[in-house]
């Protein structure tokens, strides 16, 4: 067991636990305790390899009721291991093996038509609510589905944007927001300060143009309604920020790439979708320089 | 589909067809009929926007009918608030959505997806995006598990492995981002220098997960929750070539004073 001492700090023990999942008919390999060094390099083996063999799969309990079996509490770590194992095996049996040819094709390469930028909120997974199947959408999820402008410099969102646009050559970008967004609420609640010790504040400030527009046009509404307004405004702000990336604007101008906004309201289960009208938009305008077209409302 | 993931160019596709037909003249009648049919189909399709909208509209309609309306209790509760037990870091790759492979239902997992499922170290200015998600999930939502899931054939890891030794970058942002995993690259190159490139990448995919797990501990609120046993950190690797999933735990704690 590695003991790493850092000057006068307390002594850390960092190790990967041996993890065994007991199941009479599933094959498993028990691996020796391994060590994980952060600041020293040491060998790091995987604690457990699950060979998902087809004979073991028959023992996975099939859920037939429509109400999904949710993980309620995972204080017991081995319980959550077992749950994840079962779910993976079920996925393998019902989806992977039944569509093996498709999965083998995908293993060679992906060619998604969409880049989706969605919130990390547990209720709004785009694969779930918009039915994207493996291979269809390259999905970035962050707090409040924000896209910072080019001049803010490198971050995870624009790295993914660059990869999907220049390497995968997606044809559509969908920025999809949602109701009751905690990130937008934090943006609307915060005082205007430059830097903060709070990560959340430092991130959501990317949407400050949407907040200004909301305050300017909707100040007579309740706070909740203002947040809803800002949720939608922020999507459009992000669409305009997409155009600050030269390799995005170039493709949009040539008609190779379309920018769409979407808003999922999970209170009444409706979805609003629109497309940025590039020809009529003026991104250089300080506020509200966007024009939209093809707006649809699905309920 | 070309092996680098890019669609085959139309000229190459047509040249391929021409070559085949010149070698097999008896295929020409069939080819004419099929080409006429394809042309007619394409004339009726506005490739791009029309299909895209239809695709998501169909997806949403199916979701509403088959899931939302059949579980009013669940969705009613979720409309009021979320209390997921998991924070998941997964790759943005279109083939590895955690809702599919681990069947996460609405409300179960707060999911961050980025290139190569990386967790950067604590930096309130440079890495506010990832930090915001971790802060929100751990401090506000009080998740009980953080799972970082890597995967096979990861383009981001390939990109990391391809960065030349002098560090020159070909992209605006991609390499800056994947360099978070540099420690993993150094380690696999040092330990496994005899391996094939693709095996090296696989090793790096898994080691990068470990680097991310280590980076999670640089966030004080994560470290505190782990030490108090309120939060557990797990690493995973989904191999879609072989249809397997590795899952492991990271244990971290302070021992009591030895003096």
């Amino acid at each position: 067991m590695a003991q790493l001492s850092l000057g006068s700090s307390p002594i850390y023990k960092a190790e990967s636990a041996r993890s065994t999942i007991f199941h009479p008919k599933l094959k498993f390999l028990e691996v020796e305790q391994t060590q994980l060094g952060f600041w020293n390099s040491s060998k790091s083996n995987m604690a457990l390899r699950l060979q998902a063999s087809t004979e073991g799969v028959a023992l996975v309990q099939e859920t037939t009721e429509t109400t999904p079996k949710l993980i309620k509490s995972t204080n017991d770590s081995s319980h959550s291991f077992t749950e994840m194992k079962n779910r993976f095996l079920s996925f393998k049996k019902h989806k992977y093996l039944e569509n093996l040819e498709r999965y083998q094709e995908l293993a060679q390469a992906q060619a998604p038509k969409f880049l989706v930028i969605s919130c990390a909120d547990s209720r709004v997974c785009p694969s779930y609510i918009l039915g994207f199947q493996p291979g269809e959408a390259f999905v970035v999820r962050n707090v409040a589905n924000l896209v910072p402008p080019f001049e803010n410099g490198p971050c995870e969102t624009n790295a993914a944007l660059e990869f999907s646009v220049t390497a995968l050559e997606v044809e559509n970008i969908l920025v999809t927001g949602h109701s009751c967004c905690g990130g937008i609420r934090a943006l609307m609640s915060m005082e205007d300060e430059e830097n903060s010790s709070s990560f959340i504040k430092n991130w959501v400030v990317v949407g400050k143009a949407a907040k200004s527009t909301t305050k300017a046009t909707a100040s007579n509404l309740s706070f909740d309604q203002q947040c809803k307004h800002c949720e939608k405004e922020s999507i459009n702000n992000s669409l305009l920020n997409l155009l600050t990336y030269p390799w995005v604007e170039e493709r949009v101008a040539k008609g190779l790439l379309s920018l769409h906004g979407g808003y999922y309201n999970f209170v009444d289960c409706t979805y609003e979708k629109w497309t940025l009208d590039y020809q009529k938009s003026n991104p250089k305008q300080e506020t509200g320089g966007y024009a939209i077209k093809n707006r649809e409302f699905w309920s | 589909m070309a092996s680098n993931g890019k669609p085959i160019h139309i000229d190459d596709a047509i040249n391929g067809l021409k070559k085949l037909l010149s070698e097999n003249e008896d295929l020409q009648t069939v080819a004419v009929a099929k080409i006429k049919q394809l042309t007619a189909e394409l004339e009726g399709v506005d490739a791009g926007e029309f299909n895209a909208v239809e695709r998501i509209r169909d997806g949403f309609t199916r979701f509403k009918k088959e899931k939302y309306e059949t579980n009013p209790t669940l969705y009613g509760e979720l409309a009021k608030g979320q209390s997921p037990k998991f924070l998941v870091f997964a790759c943005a790759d279109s083939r590895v959505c955690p809702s599919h492979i681990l069947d996460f239902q609405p409300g179960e997992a707060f999911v961050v997806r980025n290139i190569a499922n990386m967790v950067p170290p604590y930096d309130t200015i440079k890495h506010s995006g990832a930090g915001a998600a971790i802060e929100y999930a751990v401090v506000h939502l009080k998740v009980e598990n953080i799972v970082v899931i890597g995967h096979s054939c990861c383009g981001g890891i390939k990109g990391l492995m391809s960065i030349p030794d002098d560090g020159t970058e070909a992209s605006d942002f991609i390499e800056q981002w994947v360099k978070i995993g540099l420690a993993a690259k150094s380690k696999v190159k040092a330990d496994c220098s005899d391996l094939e490139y693709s095996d090296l990448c696989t090793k790096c995919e898994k080691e990068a997960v470990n680097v991310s797990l280590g980076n999670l501990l640089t966030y004080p609120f994560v470290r505190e929750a782990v030490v108090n046993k309120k939060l557990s950190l797990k690493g995973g690797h989904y191999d879609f070539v072989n249809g397997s999933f590795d899952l492991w735990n990271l244990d971290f704690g302070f021992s009591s004073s030895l003096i």
Side-chain angles (χ1 to χ4, degrees):
Chain A
M1 230 160 351
Q3 299 271 322
L4 302 164
S5 44
L6 297 160
S8 56
S9 318
I11 295 178
Y12 297 79
K13 273 191 305 190
E15 53 182 313
S16 300
R18 172 204 331 235
S19 178
T20 57
I21 293 177
F22 291 101
H23 199 294
K25 288 177 194 165
L26 257 183
K27 293 190 194 126
F28 66 91
L29 299 169
E30 193 173 332
V31 176
E32 76 233 356
Q33 264 188 336
T34 60
Q35 288 145 355
L36 180 73
F38 300 115
W39 296 278
N40 296 339
S41 69
S42 57
K43 78 181 163 99
S44 166
N45 296 320
M46 294 308 105
L48 171 74
R49 179 163 187 104
L50 259 178
Q51 288 297 118
S53 58
T54 44
E55 63 260 32
V57 155
L59 296 163
V60 169
Q61 198 173 343
E62 286 182 31
T63 319
T64 48
E65 70 262 12
T66 46
T67 313
K69 181 183 163 203
L70 302 179
I71 298 182
K72 291 288 180 203
S73 170
T74 58
N75 282 327
D76 178 3
S77 191
S78 64
H79 166 77
S80 58
F81 262 119
T82 313
E83 185 58 37
M84 282 196 266
K85 174 199 80 172
N86 287 341
R87 288 186 184 196
F88 176 72
L89 293 179
S90 178
F91 156 75
K92 180 161 181 173
K93 178 185 177 189
H94 296 291
K95 298 204 177 144
Y96 185 90
L97 291 173
E98 295 207 356
N99 295 289
L100 195 55
E101 204 178 299
R102 172 79 183 129
Y103 279 92
Q104 282 171 340
E105 253 173 46
L106 285 175
Q108 298 299 312
Q110 55 170 334
K113 293 225 185 295
F114 284 90
L115 161 64
V116 177
I117 299 169
S118 157
C119 187
D121 191 300
S122 64
R123 301 165 283 189
V124 305
C125 173
S127 303
Y128 209 81
I129 59 175
L130 297 176
F132 288 116
Q133 295 304 304
E136 290 194 305
F138 195 80
V139 178
V140 173
R141 293 181 71 178
N142 63 34
V143 169
N145 42 274
L146 294 167
V147 179
F150 182 89
E151 56 264 21
N152 278 23
C155 73
E156 69 267 90
T157 306
N158 52 32
L161 179 65
E162 191 178 0
F163 184 74
S164 57
V165 171
T166 64
L168 297 180
E169 296 181 326
V170 294
E171 296 167 6
N172 300 278
I173 301 180
L174 171 66
V175 178
T176 175
H178 69 95
S179 50
C180 313
C181 183
I184 296 294
R185 200 175 186 88
L187 169 65
M188 290 297 288
S189 311
M190 64 189 255
E191 299 298 322
D192 295 327
E193 43 194 279
E194 278 299 307
N195 280 325
S196 165
S197 61
S198 159
F199 279 102
I200 297 173
K201 289 182 183 176
N202 284 353
W203 171 249
V204 298
V205 78
V206 160
K208 65 178 188 280
K211 178 179 177 177
S212 315
T213 316
T214 302
K215 291 279 186 206
T217 57
S219 53
N220 53 315
L221 300 177
S222 72
F223 184 68
D224 282 346
Q225 286 170 320
Q226 286 185 35
C227 285
K228 185 166 178 174
H229 194 276
C230 190
E231 282 154 9
K232 295 186 186 181
E233 203 55 44
S234 163
I235 297 166
N236 290 318
N237 185 43
S238 290
L239 291 178
L240 288 181
N241 283 348
L242 284 171
L243 290 174
T244 63
Y245 294 86
W247 19 267
V248 170
E249 193 185 10
E250 196 184 308
R251 283 169 172 80
V252 173
K254 287 183 183 161
L256 297 172
L257 179 61
S258 300
L259 307 183
H260 310 276
Y263 182 81
Y264 169 45
N265 184 333
F266 52 58
V267 180
D268 57 12
C269 198
T270 56
Y271 199 90
E272 218 178 303
K273 166 262 147 202
W274 60 93
T275 301
L276 188 74
D277 190 337
Y278 173 70
Q279 303 301 331
K280 299 202 175 111
S281 296
N282 182 9
K284 310 254 185 302
Q285 201 172 300
E286 223 175 273
T287 51
Y290 58 86
I292 65 176
K293 62 180 183 180
N294 301 344
R295 185 178 167 276
E296 291 183 30
F297 185 83
W298 309 326
S299 62
Chain B
M1 194 65 59
S3 57
N4 64 356
K6 290 189 179 174
I8 295 175
H9 199 274
I10 184 71
D11 290 339
D12 293 334
I14 293 176
N15 289 335
L17 179 62
K18 278 186 185 168
K19 183 167 181 277
L20 175 70
L21 292 175
S22 68
E23 288 163 359
N24 296 284
E25 281 185 6
D26 37 359
L27 284 178
Q28 283 187 15
T29 324
V30 170
V32 165
K34 287 197 183 241
I35 291 168
K36 273 187 171 167
Q37 187 189 14
L38 177 63
T39 311
E41 272 176 28
L42 290 172
E43 275 165 2
V45 165
D46 176 7
E49 197 187 348
F50 176 77
N51 279 343
V53 171
E54 203 176 81
R55 178 65 196 77
I56 60 178
R57 183 171 52 224
D58 289 348
F60 181 73
T61 309
R62 228 175 306 123
F63 157 72
K64 178 158 185 171
K65 184 172 156 207
E66 293 169 18
K67 308 260 167 79
Y68 189 92
E69 286 170 353
T70 55
N71 288 295
T73 316
L74 169 66
Y75 286 96
E77 286 301 312
L78 290 177
K80 296 183 205 148
Q82 56 170 334
S83 57
K85 301 294 173 213
F86 288 86
L87 162 61
V88 175
F89 280 87
C91 188
D93 190 300
S94 64
R95 303 165 284 191
V96 305
C97 178
S99 301
H100 282 127
I101 59 183
L102 294 176
D103 199 28
F104 282 117
Q105 300 299 308
E108 288 198 297
F110 195 78
V111 178
V112 173
R113 292 182 71 181
N114 62 40
I115 299 266
N117 42 275
M118 300 253 186
V119 181
Y122 183 102
D123 188 325
T124 52
I125 311 297
K126 203 166 152 198
H127 294 302
S128 60
I134 301 169
E135 185 181 305
Y136 194 74
V138 174
V139 176
H140 298 275
L141 297 178
K142 298 190 181 4
V143 296
E144 295 170 6
N145 299 275
I146 304 182
V147 192
V148 179
I149 307 174
H151 72 96
S152 51
C153 312
C154 183
I157 296 295
K158 271 201 196 84
L160 168 66
M161 294 297 286
S162 311
I163 296 175
D165 291 333
D166 62 3
T168 45
E169 290 172 13
S171 67
D172 291 334
F173 306 116
I174 303 172
E175 281 134 324
Q176 278 288 304
W177 174 253
V178 298
K179 273 181 172 173
I180 291 169
L182 219 44
K185 175 180 176 175
S186 309
K187 182 166 162 34
V188 305
K189 281 180 93 164
D191 290 357
C192 319
S193 51
D194 51 329
L195 286 183
E196 290 277 325
Y197 183 71
S198 61
D199 292 329
L200 263 183
C201 286
T202 306
K203 289 268 179 199
C204 192
E205 285 155 10
K206 295 178 182 178
E207 193 54 37
V209 169
N210 288 335
V211 168
S212 289
L213 291 175
N215 285 343
L216 278 170
L217 290 169
T218 64
Y219 295 80
F221 38 86
V222 172
R223 198 160 66 239
E224 190 184 324
V226 171
V227 165
N228 292 334
K229 304 213 185 301
K230 298 242 170 19
L231 182 63
S232 112
L233 305 187
K234 294 178 173 41
H237 184 264
Y238 167 45
D239 182 340
F240 51 61
V241 179
N242 299 313
S244 64
F245 195 93
D246 285 7
L247 187 63
W248 62 96
N249 210 53
L250 177 73
D251 274 357
F252 178 84
F254 293 104
S255 62
S256 52
S257 174
L258 301 180
I259 298 171

